[in-house]
Amino acid sequence: MIELREIERKIKEKIKTSHLEVVDLRGGDHIQVIVVSPDFENKSLVEQHKIIYDILSPEMKSNAIHAL
């Protein structure tokens, strides 16, 4: 399990955000992240998801985040 503030910090550290919401959907390992960023301009939805998954990759691999 990872704290929501840590997820926010990691995302903000890597990309510019104009809006960021991190929501625990189920007990700390199912997380919803809503990000609005100028870094997503001209990127497909798949590319945007890859950026976030890359940022949170260590947490995904360790199962601290099971579903994102």
Side-chain angles (χ1 to χ4, degrees):
M1 188 164 116
I2 182 172
E3 290 194 26
L4 301 182
R5 288 184 309 254
E6 179 66 11
I7 294 170
E8 290 178 12
R9 184 194 65 76
K10 288 187 73 142
I11 293 171
K12 287 180 177 181
E13 185 177 273
K14 298 290 183 179
I15 63 174
K16 294 177 230 134
T17 60
S18 55
H19 178 80
L20 175 60
E21 288 180 52
V22 180
V23 179
D24 179 355
L25 297 176
R26 195 187 87 186
D29 65 346
H30 287 67
I31 306 296
Q32 177 181 27
V33 178
I34 301 169
V35 183
V36 178
S37 172
D39 294 345
F40 291 160
E41 277 189 45
N42 301 315
K43 297 209 178 346
S44 71
L45 189 57
V46 171
E47 291 171 315
Q48 294 172 33
H49 285 194
K50 184 173 178 348
I51 290 168
I52 300 302
Y53 272 70
D54 287 348
I55 292 169
L56 298 173
S57 175
E59 290 76 14
M60 297 287 289
K61 288 179 181 173
S62 73
N63 281 327
I65 299 174
H66 175 72
L68 179 64

